[in-house]
Each structure stands twice: as structure tokens, then as C-alpha cells.
Amino acid sequence: MRTGIATVCLSGTLQEKMAACAKAGFDGIEIFEQDLVTSAMSPEEVRSRAAGLGLTLDLYQPFRDFDGVDDGLLAANLRRAAAKFDLMGRLGIDTILVCSNVATATRGDDDVLAAQLSQLAELAGRHGVKVAYEALAWGRYVNDFEHAHRLVQAVDHPSLGTCLDSFHILSRDWDTAPIEKMDASKIFFVQVADAPQLSLDVLSWSRHYRVFPGEGQFELAKFMGHLARTGYDGPVSLEIFNDVFRQADVERTAVDAMRSLVWLQEQGAAWLAGQGETRRLPLRLDTLPRVPEPTGFNFAEVRAADTAALEALLAQLGFTSRGRHRTKDVQLWTMGQARLVINESAPTDSEPAISAVGFDVENPLLASSRAQQLKAPVVPRKTQADEEVFQGIAAPDSTEIFLCQGTPDGTAAWTGEFGPEPAGRSGGGSAVIDHVNLAQPWQHFDEAVLFYSSALALTAQPFAEVPSPTGLVRSQVMDTADRAVRLVLNLAPLIQQGDGANRAYQEHVAFAVEDLVATARAAKKRGLRFLRIPANYYEDLAARFDLEPGFLDTLRELDLLYDRDADGAFLHFYTATVGSVFFEMVERRGGYNGYGAPNAPVRHAVQYDLRQAGT
């Protein structure tokens, strides 16, 4: 599959965009007209620059509002087209995107439309270029890709074909199966975009909320499968209109874009395999190394320069100190199979923050290879000859992700590097890491969703929005089918986001235990400072659930929170915050699989009050 991307997807100047696309590994680009018009480079310089970067110039776009017009406007449009065709010759681009008319069309008869497109095709042929006609989802008379293709067939000119754009097809919920019946030689170009499911007019949806494949909810794998069956072998290019992407770092966005196309190839191939497809397909759909989902959390890591407060908090929770690593400035604390590493290599002016998460995987080397093919940066880690070698990659928010060798019993051989486990001090019985909650910068939230779903095979659940005193917090759960791994990504309001190691938005690690009440009582005796829950919460709780009075008193006494659904119940409590990190202890009863979402506004409000008070 030849990969491409429209320059409109990225921030920066045309020169910066071209450099970023080449660095990310794209085969070619689409030149968006505004990027050329505003560029200091001449068309000849753009052509030379692309050649030097190893990029093909695959499409010039967009040419708008050509068809369905009166004769006077048609003549003007043909003059305009001739000028653009000359420009394309200077650029060395042989294909132009012509969108179905949305503004000036007054004649919707197919015979008229075909006749006008025929004149455009004749003109294009004389200039040695091709026209890719695209049905915009909001086109006045042509808004359906099958309608556009019928017009192309009616014209039957070698210089006229169609452009298939996944957004314009899937936003209208058109069936993609008819793509298979198309003549591949008449498909001149393919553009792909994903999008979240939103209740908006299609134009606004398209202009502001497109995302890269894998970051939305469109069925792009099926779209790619149907396309592959046609025999199409041209570029598959990204055309993404997104306000955030146009403000984000150009090189990072280009890498995220390339990752999405690599992922899309795999998804298309998987869809075909699921349909029993075995024949060789002209559209090359390369597959990444297949890896199963992670089998669990191996550890979580907090980096801190001053570790005293963290050590005290973990001891009060019931964690056992396993001591220091024999060669590294790190400590290990355990409670059952829950392992927390304190990394002491933080800069002296930084506050404690979650810095790494370890996942148990079946084959760390294979999983790392997959992640690297998906453009994940490698995290270097120094090890001695007799120490466990972790495969490390960096997530979009700079959290280090380590891929560890999973074991059936959940043990970890590397803990022996901290010395033997003290006899009779397992510290917490069957405790495990239940979930990890990570804050995501606003400009990299969609990137993080794609990263964890593509590189770690986690599944994105429908996102939720949680009220806080400073605005809505968007919460995105990423998990495995058996929920052995639950990762929660939070997009905090801008007012709560900080920079680098001193980010203000709080993150946490949640640990699951069998008896939360007993855990809380023991922690209270050790002097644990709980997050204090307002009395109003318990009055509301009593109104929502018919709880036994003694149980409600226990919840109130220990600052425990409670939720219940048809599958089970959920008890949890929070600690005070150290730096930007706090901990949560949970108990899941029955088949409850949520996170106590009704309680989240309470936590946010209490933590906000504490931050305002400086405590």
C-alpha cells in the first residue's frame, strides 16, 4: 500500500510539513491548495524539495464547485481549471481532486453533470493530467460515492475517475460493499479518515472532528477490505481536518498519522481473513507481528526526588518494602502481587509523578517489534548481565511502557534483584494492580488512544465525561477482554494541566483487595490520611441505594465510596496526593466492571479544595 497524507492534516509551513512527512516515512503527499498559495516556495521549488525528500506529489486539491452550473459559470470554471492544470505541470502532479458542487450548482440533471464533467476531462487530457471526482457528503446534487461513480462511467473518459473518501461514505452510513463492484482503473485516488460518532451536521463534523484511523469509531477495516477486492493499487492517503492536529507539533502528528496507516493495513487484512479471504490481493495489506493482549500489570513506577512521603504513604497502606535494587537507584514495594517501584532518579525540582507502567505479555521481543513498527520510540534501559531485560517503549505522554515476560502465577523474576523476599511478609495477600489512571495532554489524547490500541492490543471503550470544579474531564478506558489490564486515560481541562514533571493534573494507581473494609481499618490504624468525603455524599448514597444502616455507617466512618449496578458492587477509597500521585484501593463484588463513575465528581471536588488550600 502506497501511503500518503494531505498537507492540511498538519501544522506549520509547507516546507515544515513536507519534512515531517518524509521523516515519518510517507511515500507521498497531497498538496492542499492553501498551503501552496501561502508558501514562499515556487511550484518548481516544491517539486524539487519533494524529490530531495523522497516524496511523490500525488494529488493537488481541492478544486471546488465545478459541476451543475449554468453555461456562463461553466466557461469561467473551465478557465480556472486550465490555470490549475498548468500549475500542476509545474509541480509535477498528475491528479487533481474535484469535489462535487456544494455552493453554485443549479442544475442537478445527470446528463448535464456528465456533459460538464466530460468537458473537464477533455481539458485535463490535453494537459496530461487526471481528474479524481469526489462526492462530498453535503454535495448539493451529488453526495453519494455510487452516484459519483455512475457519472464517471457515463463520461467514460481516461482522464476522469473517482476519489473514494471514507469520511464522506461512512459519515452518511453508506454501505461500503458496492465498492467491490467498481472498476479499479476508475478509482484514481483513495482518502481515509476516522471520526468519533457525534450528533452534528456533517459539514461541521468533517471540518473539525476527523481523526486518524484507529482514533474514531468508523468501520475502516471493512472499507479497506472492500477496496482491496477491487484490485486498486494506488495511494491510500490521510485527509484529516482537525483543530487539534493543526496546532500540535508537526513531526509528532506525522508519526501518529503514519502509525494509523500501518494499523489500518493490519485491520484491513484481518477483516479479509475473517471473511475467509485467501487469494492474493493486488492492494498490499502488510500485517504487523500479531501479539495477544497483555495478561496483566507487572508493575507501576513513580519517579520522585524526595521519596519520604511516598514511602510513608505506602507503608500506611500496608505495602512491604523490598529494599533497594542492587545496581539502580530504585526501591520496590509490594502488596501481594501488586508491585510499585519508586525511581529516585528524578530531577531535584520535580514532584512525584507516575513515570512507567509494566505489562505482562506473552512475548516481549515480538511485542516490542510490533510497537516499533508502529513508530513507538524505544526507551533505553541499562542492565547488568545477570539482570532482567525489559523491552521499553515511550507512550505519547512520555510514560515509559515496559513489556515484561508474563508468568502463569503472576510472579516476576526481576524482584529477586532487590534481594530475597522477607519470610512471612507478603504484605496484602491477593492484592493486584486494578487499573492505572494517566493524564493526557490535550494535543495528544487521540494519539494515545491509537497508541495503546495498536501497540498493546487494548480495546477502547466508549468515553465518558466527568464533571470537575474546573470543567469536564474526558475519560477513556482502554482494557483487555478479560479486564486483567484496565488503563484509564483522562483528558483534563486545560486549567488543570501543567508542563513536564510538574504537571498539576493528578494521576493514580488503583489496587484491588479482597476486603476493603479490613484494609481501610488497618490503614487507619497505621495513620493513613484518607481523602475526606463530604457528609452530603453519604446522604445522597442513602437515597440512591437501600443500604443497611450499619454498613452505611462503616462507609462514612472510613471515608469509603460505594457504587452498584446490575452486575455487582464497588467499594473504594483514595489517599491524599503526593506530588501529582495518589492511590486508590478498591474491592469489586460480583461482576462489577466499572470504576465508580458517579463518585468521580466527589473526588475531583475534594481534591480541588485541597489544591486551593495548598494541602
Side-chain angles (χ1 to χ4, degrees):
M1 183 176 83
R2 291 190 59 243
T3 58
I5 183 171
T7 55
V8 74
C9 302
L10 305 169
S11 66
T13 65
L14 180 56
Q15 189 167 354
E16 291 171 334
K17 296 179 183 193
M18 293 172 70
C21 293
K23 187 175 181 180
F26 282 95
D27 296 319
I29 60 174
E30 307 172 34
I31 297 291
F32 193 72
E33 185 170 63
Q34 184 177 335
D35 286 321
L36 179 67
V37 171
T38 59
S39 176
M41 293 188 292
S42 69
E44 290 78 12
E45 288 172 331
V46 172
R47 181 175 187 170
S48 176
R49 176 67 173 162
L53 291 169
L55 291 171
T56 57
L57 298 180
D58 297 329
L59 188 74
Y60 188 78
Q61 66 120 329
F63 191 84
R64 302 184 189 277
D65 298 328
F66 172 82
D67 52 323
V69 297
D70 60 40
D71 292 343
L73 189 51
L74 176 64
N77 285 344
L78 287 170
R79 287 193 298 272
R80 181 163 56 97
K84 297 303 177 184
F85 295 160
D86 287 338
L87 175 63
M88 290 167 60
R90 297 170 63 192
L91 286 163
I93 299 177
D94 68 358
T95 306
I96 188 170
L97 177 70
V98 174
C99 306
S100 61
N101 200 324
V102 302
T104 61
T106 57
R107 305 168 71 182
D109 182 86
D110 276 9
D111 290 338
V112 172
L113 294 169
Q116 294 184 352
L117 288 172
S118 179
Q119 292 186 59
L120 183 64
E122 283 290 339
L123 180 63
R126 293 196 294 272
H127 283 79
V129 299
K130 300 183 297 183
V131 172
Y133 182 58
E134 174 186 56
L136 297 183
W138 53 91
R140 178 163 293 182
Y141 296 116
V142 180
N143 56 28
D144 176 352
F145 74 100
E146 292 184 85
H147 188 185
H149 187 62
R150 288 195 300 271
L151 291 171
V152 167
Q153 288 178 308
V155 173
D156 192 24
H157 193 285
S159 294
L160 181 67
T162 190
C163 172
L164 296 177
D165 184 315
S166 66
F167 182 87
H168 294 298
I169 296 171
L170 298 176
S171 65
R172 296 293 298 270
D173 203 25
W174 302 124
D175 183 9
T176 55
I179 291 174
E180 292 189 17
K181 300 176 183 178
M182 291 184 174
D183 178 356
S185 68
K186 286 298 184 183
I187 303 174
F188 283 3
F189 207 78
V190 173
Q191 296 174 322
V192 290
D194 208 339
Q197 292 292 349
L198 299 172
S199 297
L200 286 175
D201 66 275
V202 181
L203 179 58
S204 297
W205 193 10
S206 172
R207 286 289 176 259
H208 303 284
Y209 297 102
R210 295 195 196 194
V211 289
F212 294 127
E215 298 175 355
Q217 296 167 286
F218 282 171
E219 289 190 274
L220 290 176
K222 186 196 301 187
F223 172 86
M224 290 298 295
H226 290 313
L227 176 67
R229 285 175 173 163
T230 68
Y232 174 79
D233 61 357
V236 175
S237 184
L238 298 162
E239 187 192 42
I240 312 297
F241 298 93
N242 184 290
D243 299 341
V244 173
F245 295 172
R246 294 293 299 272
Q247 301 175 60
D249 178 80
V250 62
E251 290 191 0
R252 284 194 59 161
T253 306
V255 168
D256 187 34
M258 190 65 207
R259 177 185 298 128
S260 75
L261 281 184
V262 175
W263 173 88
L264 183 58
Q265 291 184 81
E266 179 188 51
Q267 296 303 301
W271 184 86
L272 286 166
Q275 301 294 308
E277 188 67 69
T278 57
R279 64 185 174 92
R280 189 175 181 83
L281 298 169
L283 177 59
R284 183 167 58 89
L285 292 168
D286 293 336
T287 56
L288 297 161
R290 290 292 184 89
V291 296
E293 299 174 324
T295 57
F297 287 104
N298 192 284
F299 68 91
E301 177 185 285
V302 175
R303 183 173 284 128
D306 184 352
T307 66
L310 273 175
E311 293 174 36
L313 183 57
L314 291 171
Q316 290 167 344
L317 279 171
F319 276 76
T320 297
S321 171
R322 290 288 305 277
R324 304 178 63 82
H325 193 273
R326 60 192 182 209
T327 64
K328 299 178 177 64
D329 292 329
V330 297
Q331 303 177 37
L332 173 62
W333 290 73
T334 62
M335 176 185 284
Q337 291 182 352
R339 293 177 282 270
L340 189 87
V341 173
I342 300 179
N343 187 329
E344 300 176 2
S345 65
T348 55
D349 62 342
S350 64
E351 62 182 15
I354 295 175
S355 54
V357 180
F359 295 94
D360 286 330
V361 297
E362 185 177 278
N363 187 324
L365 283 173
L366 196 64
S368 177
S369 173
R370 174 185 173 87
Q372 290 177 53
Q373 289 186 50
L374 287 159
K375 306 295 182 180
V378 174
V379 172
R381 182 176 180 271
K382 294 181 180 180
T383 56
Q384 302 291 340
D386 59 346
E387 294 175 356
E388 185 89 5
V389 177
F390 290 156
Q391 302 296 319
I393 55 177
D397 68 346
S398 299
T399 300
E400 296 177 349
I401 303 299
F402 290 104
L403 306 168
C404 312
Q405 184 65 62
T407 59
D409 60 0
T411 58
W414 60 268
T415 60
E417 298 167 18
F418 292 81
E421 182 176 351
R425 292 179 62 191
S426 61
S430 61
V432 297
I433 295 178
D434 183 84
H435 62 275
V436 177
N437 186 306
L438 298 175
Q440 301 300 305
W442 64 271
Q443 68 271 44
H444 302 309
F445 187 85
D446 292 317
E447 180 186 355
V449 172
L450 175 60
F451 171 85
Y452 286 110
S453 59
S454 62
L456 286 180
L458 300 182
T459 299
Q461 302 302 327
F463 71 85
E465 292 180 332
V466 177
S468 81
T470 54
L472 291 177
V473 176
R474 180 176 176 181
S475 184
Q476 175 75 68
V477 173
M478 312 286 299
D479 62 14
T480 54
D482 63 359
R483 295 182 174 84
V485 169
R486 308 168 193 256
L487 190 67
V488 184
L489 308 178
N490 278 354
L491 176 60
L494 288 176
I495 195 172
Q496 292 190 42
Q497 297 187 26
D499 297 319
N502 290 310
R503 54 191 169 189
Y505 185 72
Q506 298 170 347
E507 304 176 313
H508 74 275
V509 182
F511 305 100
V513 296
E514 291 183 342
D515 188 339
L516 188 75
V517 172
T519 299
R521 289 196 186 282
K524 189 175 183 179
K525 288 182 180 179
R526 299 187 198 101
L528 178 69
R529 181 185 170 196
F530 290 76
L531 194 68
R532 297 303 304 272
I533 306 302
N536 293 336
Y537 167 79
Y538 295 102
E539 290 190 20
D540 180 68
L541 197 64
R544 288 194 292 129
F545 301 112
D546 184 19
L547 299 177
E548 192 273 323
F551 178 61
L552 184 62
D553 289 342
T554 298
L555 297 178
R556 184 183 294 108
E557 171 199 353
L558 297 172
D559 288 295
L560 305 185
L561 298 105
Y562 178 87
D563 189 34
R564 189 172 69 203
D565 62 18
D567 298 314
F570 186 66
L571 281 75
H572 56 140
F573 72 80
Y574 301 101
T575 70
T577 302
V578 177
S580 66
V581 181
F582 63 96
F583 301 107
E584 179 184 9
M585 306 298 288
V586 311
E587 178 190 342
R588 296 181 180 276
R589 296 180 177 180
Y592 185 98
N593 284 315
Y595 300 84
N599 302 329
V602 178
R603 170 175 69 82
H604 284 295
V606 175
Q607 289 176 330
Y608 175 80
D609 285 343
L610 291 173
R611 286 197 303 272
Q612 294 299 100
T615 59

